[in-house]
Structures are given as C-alpha cells and as structure tokens.
Amino acid sequence: MRNVLKSATLESKFPLLTVENGCIISKDANVTVAFRVELPELFTVTSSEYEAIHSSWVKAIKVLPNYSVVHKQDWFIRENYTPEMQKDDLSFLSRSFERHFNERPYLNHACFLFLTKTTKERMRMQSNFNTLCRGFLVPKEIRDKETVHKFMETVGQFERIMNDSGFLKLIRLTSDEIIGTKENPGLVEKYFSLSLEDTTVLKDIQLNPEDMRIGDNILCLHTLSDVDDLPGKVSTDNRYEKLSTDRSDCRLSFAAPVGVLLSCNHLYNQYIFIDDSAENLKKFEKQARNMHSLSRYSRSNQINKQWIEQYLNEAHSLGLTSVRCHCNVISWSDDREELGRIKNDVGSQLALMECKPRHNTVDIPALYWAGIPGNEADFPAEESFYTFIEQALCFFSGETNYKSSLSPFGIKMVDRLTGKPLHLDISDLPMKKGIITNRNKFILGPSGSGKSFFTNHMVRQYYEQGAHIVLVDTGNSYQGLCNLINRKTGGDDGVYFTYTEKNPISFNPFYTEDGVFDIEKRESIKTLILTLWKRDDEPPTRAEEVALSNAVSMYIDKIKTGISPSFNTFYEFVKGEYRKILKSKEVREKDFDIANFLNVLEPYYKGGEYDFLLNSDRELDLLSKRFIVFEIDAIKDHKILFPITTIIIMEVFINKMRRLHGIRKLILIEEAWKAIAKEGMAEYIKYLYKTVRKFFGEAIVVTQEVDDIIASPIVKESIINNADCKILLDQRKYMNKFDSIQALLGLTDKERSQILSINMANNPNRKYKEVWIGLGGVQSAVYATEVSLEEYFTYTTEETEKLELMRLTEKLGGNIELAIKQIAEKLKTKS
C-alpha cells in the first residue's frame, strides 16, 4: 500500500537532485541555469527604451532550443527600514534622520531568471503527473550530454544578448547562492520560507488547495492561464496617469501594476514555454480543419476556426514563433482579514492591465511547486495558453525600485514611491563612471519648492563627510545649520558673516594661522587694496602696481617679525616706513602718489567711516574653517562694502582650492550670484566653474527665477555649460515657459517628463518635496527630500519658526541643539 499518511517529509517529495557548476539538476534530469536580474529603476525608462528592452528579450529567447522554459520570478517582500544607528560618528542631525525612518515599511524587490532545458514529454505533462502526486522520485540519468552542452552554449548567448542591451544585467548565480552555505541560506531555502532575509528557517507546508499555508502565512493565487482572461491588446509599456501631464508622459511596463505598484508581499511568476513551433502550427492546422467540418453544427466552431486561422496567418506571414505562456501572482499574509484586502488589491491591479482577475483556489499547490527554482519542468501544461514570443514578453515586469549608490560618499535622499532612505552619490561615482566630467551643480527651483531644504540637507551631509564649504547667501537660509555647527565645535567652526548696524561685517584678510603667504594670498591682498584705491574704470599704471606689490611684500615680512596683522598696521607701515623707503629711492609722485593712496584708503583706517571692515580682532584663518556662510543681503547694493566682501569671499575659496590638496571643497552661491555678476565678477564665476574640478572642488549656483537664466549670459554660457549635475525642483508654475528652459538646459524629452512629474502624486501621509537630479544627460531620476523634525527646525526659513527657535536657544544659554530637540519633542507629543 502506498503512503496514506496526511504528512510527508520535504526530502521525499523534493524535486531537485543536485547543483553542479552553477546548474540545478532535477530528479527528472532537467537542467536549469539561474540568474539574478538587475532591472532599470522605475520612472526612468521611456517608451522607446521599453521597446528596446522587449526587443532584446525577443532576440535572446529565440536562441534557446526547443523544449526550454524561460521562468522570470519577481519577489516583492515588505520589509522595514533598519536605521544605521551603530555608526560612532553619527551627528545629531544624522541620528535624528535615521530615527525618523526607523521601521519605515517599503517593498524590497529581487528578480531572478531561470532557463530550463527539459524534454518533449515533460513539457506535455499535466498536474496529475506533478512530482507532488508521486509517492517517491527516482533520479533519472542524463544520457544525452551533447544536448546539455548545446543548451549551455545557448544560455551563454542569451546572457550576452541581454547584457549587451545596456538596460538590464544578468548575473549568474553560483552554487552557494542557490543552495546556501552553513552561514547563509540559498535561494531554494528562501523560496520555501517566502523570505529574502539571510536568516531563514524552513517552515511546515500545508498543501490544501483552498487554504495553502507556509508556516503562518496563508497563500492566495491569481492566474493568467486562459486566453479569455487576457486583454484584447497588449503593449510593452503604458502611460502612468498619476505622473503624466498633457505636455509630458510617464511610462511604466505593461505588467507594472502587479509588480512595483502592488504594495503587498507577493511573487510574480512569468513563464514562457518554447515547444516545437512547427509542430504547434501543424496541430492548429488540424484543429482548424476540424472546426471547419463542425462549423455547420455550431456557430462557435465557425468563430473558433476564424480565430485559429488568424493565429496561423500571423505566424506564417510575420515568421512568429508559437509558444505557451503563463503568469501568476502568489500573495500571502498571516492575517485572514488582511489577506482579504490583498486579494482585492491583486484583483484590482490585474483589472488595471485589462485582465480578468481569476482567483485560483484549485492549482495553488501545483503552481507553487513548479515555481521552485530548478523545477520549472514540473509546470502543469493545462495552465498555459498559446501565443507568440512578442506578446508573451509584454507580461514581463520591466522595472525595479530605486537603488542606493555603491559608493562610500554621498547624500541621503528618499525613494519617492515607498519613502525608503537611499544613499545617493551625485559627485564621485558618476565621475568615476564617466557619466559627468565635473562635479559642478546648477540648482533651479521657484520660491516654496523646497530649494533651501534640499541645499541645507546636501551641504550638511557634505560637511559631515569632511568637505570644506563656503556659502554665499541672501536671506539667512543657512543660519540655523551654521549656528548648530558653531555650537557643536565649540566655536572652532561654523563661521557666520552678516551685516547689522550693531554688529557690522568685518574681516582680517591679512591674518593667516600658519603664517604662510603664498602667491595666491599675496595676489588677493593686492587685488583687495587695488579695489579700495581705484575705481573700475581707472586701471593702475605699471609703476603703481610695482609700488603696491613691494609695499605688500615688505609688510608681510614685517608680519613675520611679530607685527599684529590688520589693515591699520598696513596703513601705518605705508605712511611711515614705506614712505621713507620710496623717498630714499627717489620715486616720483607721478609714478606713485603716496599721499593720494593714503587719502583714498583713510576711511578704512581706525577712526574712518569703514574702519571696522578690515580690522577684525577675531583671529580667524578661514582656510582651516570648514563651514563658512557669507550673508550679504544687507550690503548687496552697497557700493563700498559689497565689492570688498565679494573679493574676500573669492579669496577665501581660491585659497582653499589651491592649498587644500586632496580635500573636497564646495562653494555654493545662492541668489547672490546676480549681485556678484553685476559688480564685474562675471569673469570670476566663469573662471571658477571651469577650474574648480581640477582641485577636487564643486561650484554650485542656485536660482529661482526662470527669466534670470534666460537673460543672464553668465548663467547661460558659463554656469550651465560647465555644470554636469543639474537639480530642478517643482517647475509646474513655469509649465508654459518650460520649452525655453528645456532648450537652454539641454534636457531630453525623458528628463522633461520626469521634471514635470515632480510633486504630482505625493503621499499625503508623508511631508516631503520632490527634487529631480540629472547627471550629464545620461542618468536622471526624481527623489524626495524628507527630513526629521529636528532637521526641519534646523533648516527652516519660516520667520515665526526661526524666531521661536532663537528665543528658546537664548533661554537655554545658547544651546541650539537642545532647543531643536525640545521643539521637535513638543510637536511629536502633540501629533
């Protein structure tokens, strides 16, 4: 008597025999090669690119021999974000960011491809001959070694065709990845536990068709196995209406509704069975003749005959290959109520594909068993439908979730669909890959689009990774972050320069911490003094340049002997000692009028109108300071203070650029670039954008008005052409002007569609703004800038929130970090 027990061991029913050389051998002597598939990220593929991917699949499948099975298996597993709290060097804001996303649910996607060589007999087997229905399995012997050898050759061709497409990547799975090791489970073990985690435990399996369970999880199956359930028309891709406008198209693959857009635990299995196409067509010819002879008895026979003939006409006239296809969605939950919701979700997503949702309560054990990696030949033949390769491939899901950059350097952004934090490198890795040739950035975003939040978020993370940052701002956007850094470093960093009547802006350009005055430093001092002395339309003579150069050199020598560096001591040196030197050299007044020189510079000497400007008693060497903000809103129209301030800003950054070898440095110019450009500094901006890349530097310009870009030759010719990374925020207010922006920035239609989709379908349960990042016209995507409450109050530019923070900081003795914590906690408690 056969086994009549209600339970059996997995070992007795297990259909796989061994894994050798990366090939899975089943007990029925079928050979399977497994791959991991890297798909393109969603919302980054155009219609023509989807067609190109589809074409690559067609070419690859056509090289496979008859009686092969192509099985693509997409895993979508709900997981929770695990914060990176274990790092010792996490700052207050980084830690609050990680805490904010703690346990954030998201859908983890992994895609696998299995190519199986089986026999004609196995391809025709139905569910009653499934290995589950047999009492025991006797391993068969592979007698025809030549067939296996040829199959492996075609698998190599398949892999080459797909990898050469440039859109997706096949990576062959090793034996350890398939069967696992002592430390890590393999893919087969993960399949039996429905988990992608590295720690899995095999669970009991209950194969009741109406109530199949794996451990505590109850399985639910929807199938596409009948032509009657299929849509009248299929395509490689569809328009995604939520992110499309009347001027732009967002595309997703035809099967995306049951892929990345289905937010529950599920497996999406796609099968293509390659029979003998000629034999299939002969069978249909015979069937058509039978239908013709029976057509007088039933109108349905006549219609069926017409359909079969149409299929045959297509096959013969277009040279199409007849194949069988099947797709199914296996979803699960450990809660029956939730499973009911999941069942409805899967059904509605299939309906979006214009398929008839068929909840299958009969075949789930057989189809689950056939989905075991390497057991594709066990698929029940009656569950498939006849079609052509091209149509079958339309049911392949074509995209995956956003992926983090494989780089130690980068910034944290957020996946716009699921809200999962991503590590994104927009500087080093793209340079290494040749996607961009410089690290410069151009940021465009109207007021209220989240521009300040993004730039604060970016520069804060650059600073925490060791970069030197110089910010030129008009509007106190970086005051909170600068004060936080200043407090954290005990006043050693986070230098904020701004102008008020009580505390006017002041510098000491003559001071260096290490006492080194290189050529760049000397030249910047001379340029500064020339700016104070001469008007723009009054160039100095050669004799005046020499005299000034000598004065600066001699003064620097005096500093090295112990004199206190400042403009006051420089003025006194020129008035006294240097005047005598000139007299002894008999330098004529017409060559260098020292009286005129001293008279013009007198307002900057002690007691003068601007004596505060160049005589700061703060002995600050800005070369060693890593976070410096120049807030110039109050002086941007001042004819004296503004030109001098801009020269000092430029000198500070050039000094860092030239002297800090191997250290990342960044200058970000907010709306101030307009004022700088007006004052004859356009040449400097051009120079900066062209030169900074050679010194491991980045120049970033931020603007909010479209008209400024179009009208300014500096932006148009210098900044845009030399900024390979372009960052745009919500542009919907400029929808009617976007054609000119697109032409000016050199954006492709794909990039245009991505930009115009910004903030169109934001999740109302999350507070964030979206941002588009494009790299060299090659790589682009829309990300979300979502921050914790602590970061929000650090970056905020809202007047009332800033005042509340400043008052509480003052009350707490200047402890801004504690003030931010208290405000954030108060809000969290309320919510």
Side-chain angles (χ1 to χ4, degrees):
M1 186 177 172
R2 279 199 160 184
N3 182 12
V4 292
L5 293 175
K6 289 185 178 178
S7 64
T9 62
L10 181 59
E11 186 182 6
S12 67
K13 298 287 184 182
F14 199 60
L16 307 182
L17 178 64
T18 184
V19 176
E20 292 181 5
N21 300 320
C23 294
I24 308 170
I25 315 295
S26 77
K27 289 179 181 174
D28 274 320
N30 304 303
V31 181
T32 301
V33 180
F35 296 93
R36 183 186 298 108
V37 186
E38 290 184 0
L39 296 168
E41 295 176 3
L42 79 166
F43 309 132
T44 65
V45 188
T46 62
S47 187
S48 60
E49 288 169 342
Y50 275 119
E51 286 176 14
I53 294 168
H54 180 271
S55 177
S56 298
W57 278 114
V58 172
K59 289 173 193 168
I61 288 175
K62 281 184 176 178
V63 304
L64 295 175
N66 289 344
Y67 311 115
S68 299
V69 184
V70 178
H71 175 205
K72 182 167 168 285
Q73 189 174 72
D74 288 88
W75 295 56
F76 298 92
I77 310 293
R78 282 182 73 83
E79 294 182 6
N80 294 329
Y81 178 72
T82 305
E84 298 174 356
M85 304 292 283
Q86 70 280 4
K87 292 182 180 177
D88 296 330
D89 56 345
L90 274 187
S91 68
F92 160 60
L93 292 181
S94 289
R95 200 172 292 277
S96 67
F97 177 88
E98 294 294 332
R99 259 199 313 270
H100 174 73
F101 289 97
N102 185 29
E103 297 293 310
R104 171 71 62 88
Y106 67 93
L107 208 61
N108 189 12
H109 177 213
C111 180
F112 301 98
L113 181 72
F114 307 103
L115 303 179
T116 301
K117 180 69 181 80
T118 183
T119 61
K120 183 178 180 178
E121 293 73 28
R122 285 296 290 146
M123 289 280 272
R124 290 176 175 173
M125 292 298 178
Q126 299 197 344
S127 54
N128 58 359
F129 197 73
N130 191 285
T131 52
L132 281 173
C133 303
R134 288 184 260 169
F136 55 91
L137 296 175
V138 178
K140 290 185 180 178
E141 186 181 342
I142 301 175
R143 299 186 184 279
D144 190 357
K145 303 288 193 296
E146 184 63 26
T147 302
V148 176
H149 180 69
K150 284 181 179 176
F151 173 66
M152 295 309 294
E153 281 184 351
T154 59
V155 167
Q157 293 167 23
F158 186 104
E159 184 181 1
R160 179 71 182 269
I161 290 167
M162 294 310 299
N163 286 337
D164 285 351
S165 71
F167 294 105
L168 44 79
K169 190 176 179 184
L170 301 188
I171 303 158
R172 183 94 172 260
L173 294 184
T174 63
S175 298
D176 285 349
E177 288 174 313
I178 295 166
I179 56 174
T181 61
K182 286 182 180 179
E183 294 78 26
N184 298 309
L187 182 58
V188 175
E189 186 177 340
K190 289 177 180 180
Y191 184 79
F192 279 106
S193 56
L194 296 177
S195 170
L196 285 172
E197 293 179 5
D198 281 339
T199 52
T200 59
V201 178
L202 289 178
K203 301 169 183 176
D204 289 341
I205 300 174
Q206 178 182 304
L207 296 171
N208 184 344
E210 292 182 4
D211 189 24
M212 181 172 170
R213 291 171 177 266
I214 294 177
D216 294 329
N217 290 317
I218 311 162
L219 271 60
C220 170
L221 174 70
H222 287 75
T223 55
L224 295 175
S225 53
D226 195 321
V227 177
D228 293 338
D229 299 337
L230 304 180
K233 187 179 178 183
V234 292
S235 57
T236 56
D237 57 288
N238 274 338
R239 177 180 160 100
Y240 186 59
E241 292 296 341
K242 282 186 179 179
L243 295 179
S244 298
T245 69
D246 56 345
R247 292 168 178 265
S248 63
D249 250 3
C250 178
R251 312 297 294 189
L252 285 177
S253 65
F254 183 78
V258 289
V260 288
L261 299 183
L262 178 57
S263 58
C264 64
N265 286 320
H266 68 287
L267 291 178
Y268 179 45
N269 290 297
Q270 307 119 76
Y271 295 89
I272 295 177
F273 304 93
I274 305 167
D275 299 304
D276 186 332
S277 181
E279 196 176 302
N280 282 352
L281 296 179
K282 276 182 189 175
K283 188 174 76 174
F284 280 120
E285 293 279 8
K286 185 179 177 182
Q287 200 173 344
R289 286 194 297 271
N290 290 340
M291 289 292 171
H292 178 69
S293 62
L294 296 170
S295 60
R296 68 178 70 181
Y297 303 110
S298 169
R299 185 170 293 277
S300 61
N301 289 339
Q302 191 176 352
I303 292 167
N304 284 338
K305 177 223 171 194
Q306 289 172 0
W307 281 116
I308 293 168
E309 285 186 340
Q310 192 175 342
Y311 181 84
L312 289 166
N313 291 339
E314 287 277 314
H316 288 298
S317 61
L318 300 174
L320 302 177
T321 305
S322 175
V323 295
R324 288 182 293 122
C325 178
H326 168 89
C327 297
N328 66 58
V329 179
I330 300 175
S331 50
W332 63 87
S333 175
D334 56 3
D335 178 13
R336 284 199 177 277
E337 193 177 327
E338 187 189 15
L339 191 67
R341 288 195 298 270
I342 288 172
K343 177 186 165 186
N344 293 334
D345 286 347
V346 177
S348 63
Q349 292 299 97
L350 283 167
L352 284 177
M353 295 166 63
E354 296 184 22
C355 297
K356 190 185 291 180
R358 187 175 292 277
H359 180 223
N360 194 321
T361 57
V362 177
D363 300 303
I364 186 163
L367 292 176
Y368 173 79
W369 206 251
I372 298 169
N375 196 38
E376 283 71 22
D378 220 8
F379 187 90
E382 75 271 16
E383 284 291 334
S384 57
F385 60 88
Y386 282 95
T387 183
F388 300 118
I389 293 174
E390 287 78 4
Q391 283 76 8
L393 283 168
C394 290
F395 291 97
F396 275 29
S397 62
E399 56 277 302
T400 186
N401 294 324
Y402 283 6
K403 291 172 277 196
S404 291
S405 301
L406 298 172
S407 168
F409 179 82
I411 59 174
K412 287 276 190 179
M413 295 299 288
V414 175
D415 183 328
R416 71 190 300 205
L417 190 68
T418 64
K420 176 198 172 188
L422 300 163
H423 175 77
L424 189 66
D425 186 349
I426 54 175
S427 292
D428 292 358
L429 194 62
M431 279 280 282
K432 193 176 178 182
K433 287 183 175 179
I435 293 170
I436 57 176
T437 56
N438 59 64
R439 296 179 176 84
N440 300 337
K441 296 168 179 60
F442 173 72
I443 302 174
L444 171 68
S447 180
S449 62
K451 189 168 69 272
S452 293
F453 263 79
F454 172 76
T455 48
N456 263 285
H457 193 55
M458 180 178 71
V459 298
R460 189 264 294 176
Q461 292 177 86
Y462 272 54
Y463 171 79
E464 287 174 1
Q465 292 171 87
H468 279 244
I469 294 162
V470 177
L471 297 162
V472 188
D473 184 29
T474 56
N476 295 306
S477 301
Y478 305 93
Q479 190 174 18
L481 181 57
C482 191
N483 290 346
L484 185 67
I485 290 170
N486 186 268
R487 172 77 186 190
K488 197 72 182 172
T489 58
D492 289 339
D493 210 339
V495 185
Y496 198 83
F497 290 103
T498 187
Y499 183 91
T500 61
E501 290 297 328
K502 288 183 181 178
N503 187 20
I505 197 165
S506 66
F507 311 98
N508 188 351
F510 301 89
Y511 174 78
T512 63
E513 204 168 75
D514 54 7
V516 175
F517 291 87
D518 55 13
I519 293 170
E520 293 289 341
K521 182 69 176 174
R522 291 165 186 262
E523 286 300 318
S524 70
I525 293 172
K526 283 191 277 183
T527 305
L528 174 67
I529 295 166
L530 275 172
T531 306
L532 301 176
W533 180 26
K534 299 282 186 179
R535 291 194 301 267
D536 287 345
D537 57 352
E538 188 187 355
T541 64
R542 181 67 184 141
E544 287 172 334
E545 282 182 357
V546 170
L548 179 58
S549 184
N550 289 337
V552 170
S553 295
M554 289 179 185
Y555 174 69
I556 288 169
D557 291 338
K558 296 285 285 181
I559 291 173
K560 290 175 181 176
T561 61
I563 191 173
S564 176
S566 69
F567 183 79
N568 286 342
T569 54
F570 173 76
Y571 187 88
E572 288 163 0
F573 165 73
V574 173
K575 188 177 183 181
E577 192 175 329
Y578 190 61
R579 195 173 207 166
K580 291 175 184 174
I581 292 167
L582 291 177
K583 195 172 184 181
S584 66
K585 286 184 176 180
E586 298 182 352
V587 175
R588 296 174 300 176
E589 187 179 305
K590 69 174 185 176
D591 292 330
F592 180 63
D593 188 349
I594 195 166
N596 169 266
F597 178 78
L598 293 168
N599 183 51
V600 172
L601 297 186
E602 193 174 9
Y604 307 98
Y605 180 59
K606 58 186 172 188
E609 187 180 355
Y610 303 110
D611 63 349
F612 56 85
L613 188 61
L614 304 173
N615 291 295
S616 173
D617 55 1
R618 294 164 70 192
E619 291 201 331
L620 273 180
D621 181 8
L622 297 179
L623 179 70
S624 62
K625 306 303 175 191
R626 291 202 302 112
F627 197 91
I628 307 162
V629 180
F630 295 94
E631 204 289 311
I632 60 171
D633 192 44
I635 60 165
K636 67 177 185 288
D637 297 319
H638 199 290
K639 291 191 175 181
I640 303 291
L641 298 179
F642 183 73
I644 297 165
T645 304
T646 51
I647 285 169
I648 289 168
I649 293 168
M650 304 318 169
E651 186 269 330
V652 165
F653 189 72
I654 285 182
N655 201 25
K656 286 179 181 290
M657 197 169 81
R658 300 276 185 184
R659 291 182 60 187
L660 299 174
H661 302 294
I663 297 172
R664 189 186 308 274
K665 63 282 292 184
L666 180 156
I667 183 166
L668 186 143
I669 306 173
E670 276 265 1
E671 295 296 316
W673 69 265
K674 286 185 278 186
I676 291 171
K678 284 179 193 170
E679 297 294 331
M681 295 306 294
E683 288 303 318
Y684 173 76
I685 294 178
K686 285 184 183 179
Y687 163 77
L688 195 65
Y689 258 79
K690 288 178 182 176
T691 311
V692 72
R693 69 174 182 84
K694 299 172 186 174
F695 298 93
F696 197 23
E698 302 182 22
I700 304 172
V701 159
V702 183
T703 189
Q704 67 178 26
E705 289 297 330
V706 181
D707 293 334
D708 291 337
I709 313 172
I710 297 164
S712 170
I714 296 102
V715 178
K716 194 172 178 180
E717 293 168 20
S718 308
I719 297 174
I720 291 171
N721 292 344
N722 291 290
D724 280 0
C725 176
K726 294 177 177 67
I727 299 168
L728 276 71
L729 292 101
D730 198 334
Q731 298 294 313
R732 283 177 295 171
K733 121 178 4 181
Y734 301 130
M735 188 87 77
N736 296 329
K737 293 181 180 179
F738 201 76
D739 287 345
S740 56
I741 298 173
Q742 183 181 356
L744 191 67
L745 298 183
L747 303 173
T748 63
D749 289 338
K750 170 183 170 178
E751 291 171 331
R752 173 198 179 98
S753 298
Q754 290 173 337
I755 293 162
L756 294 180
S757 76
I758 290 173
N759 294 336
M760 278 193 67
N762 286 12
N763 187 336
N765 299 322
R766 288 164 42 209
K767 191 174 181 180
Y768 64 96
K769 293 281 180 73
E770 291 182 338
V771 54
W772 175 83
I773 300 174
L775 298 166
V778 177
Q779 191 177 305
S780 60
V782 176
Y783 301 91
T785 307
E786 184 178 347
V787 296
S788 63
L789 278 172
E790 289 85 351
E791 289 169 294
Y792 174 84
F793 280 101
T794 305
Y795 306 155
T796 185
T797 53
E798 286 291 326
E799 184 86 23
T800 51
E801 291 169 344
K802 284 173 79 171
L803 287 173
E804 183 187 359
L805 178 62
M806 286 164 68
R807 280 196 291 266
L808 186 56
T809 303
E810 203 173 314
K811 190 177 173 183
L812 294 168
N815 192 337
I816 188 170
E817 185 176 317
L818 185 57
I820 290 166
K821 280 180 184 174
Q822 286 189 10
I823 294 173
E825 279 303 319
K826 186 179 168 186
L827 274 175
K828 284 175 191 172
T829 309
K830 273 186 184 178
S831 61

